[in-house]
Amino acid sequence: MRNLENLSAAQFAKVMDTLGGDRHGQQILAAWIGKEKLRDALNLRARITRSTPCERDVRGRLFAFYDWCAQNDDIPELVTLARTVSRWEDEIVAAVLTGVSNARSEALNRIAKLEARRAYSFRKPANQRRRVRTACTRGRVPVRTKSRSPLVSGRPPDPG
């Protein structure tokens, strides 16, 4: 399902009507609203709002998320999500306030694991390490071009 900010008023009304009809749809709707409340807290990051958030605002939005999950405690997945977020609350608040994440290192770790699996049949461990290193630096390291000396190009040097 789409994020709330990407829905028009007509689409939002259709989602509410469709999911509000039976018990299972209401559970899906409650889980979706819980996800949106968590996103409200995470979207306070300075990169998104262009201003540094206050810790009180972040914790207030997390409280709104916890409150919603408590009101819908008949959905086990929502309760599990609330417990997990509660365990990591300090780290989440710090990430929202500072804007720092470990996404790049996690991405490189995933690439390294995938390449190590692909290079499993290499006989020399050095070749396997080289393949992983190449995969992790591909696209991020500028290509070094050697400047050719005037004598190599065949043209005499410019007296300038």
Side-chain angles (χ1 to χ4, degrees):
M1 195 179 304
R2 291 178 149 186
N3 297 330
L4 182 60
E5 66 269 10
N6 296 333
L7 293 175
S8 68
Q11 289 172 328
F12 180 71
K14 184 177 179 182
V15 167
M16 295 297 281
D17 291 341
T18 304
L19 294 178
D22 65 339
R23 186 176 60 85
H24 298 295
Q26 290 172 354
Q27 286 186 345
I28 294 170
L29 183 62
W32 180 69
I33 292 171
K35 183 242 345 168
E36 289 298 322
K37 290 192 176 289
L38 182 57
R39 285 185 70 244
D40 284 344
L42 298 176
N43 283 339
L44 286 175
R45 293 179 306 225
R47 188 185 63 163
I48 295 172
T49 61
R50 303 286 183 230
S51 65
T52 305
C54 173
E55 181 177 350
R56 185 181 61 222
D57 293 340
V58 178
R59 290 195 189 273
R61 296 228 181 145
L62 284 174
F63 177 77
F65 166 72
Y66 296 141
D67 187 44
W68 179 260
C69 292
Q71 291 172 14
N72 296 283
D73 62 350
D74 57 322
I75 304 170
E77 293 84 4
L78 207 52
V79 173
T80 302
L81 177 62
R83 281 191 191 128
T84 304
V85 170
S86 175
R87 272 188 230 120
W88 288 90
E89 182 173 343
D90 293 334
E91 290 83 355
I92 291 170
V93 170
V96 170
L97 294 177
T98 62
V100 176
S101 78
N102 65 342
R104 179 172 284 171
S105 62
E106 290 291 337
L108 289 175
N109 188 26
R110 184 184 62 82
I111 290 171
K113 284 181 179 180
L114 288 173
E115 284 300 320
R117 249 185 252 139
R118 286 186 194 138
Y120 187 72
S121 62
F122 282 107
R123 294 173 191 231
K124 295 182 182 177
N127 290 342
Q128 184 179 13
R129 284 191 300 272
R130 191 175 302 122
R131 181 175 176 144
V132 169
R133 189 177 319 120
T134 302
C136 288
T137 57
R138 191 179 325 142
R140 294 187 320 116
V141 177
V143 177
R144 296 181 189 146
T145 58
K146 294 181 181 179
S147 60
R148 298 181 78 184
S149 127
L151 298 176
V152 173
S153 66
R155 288 183 272 175
D158 187 23

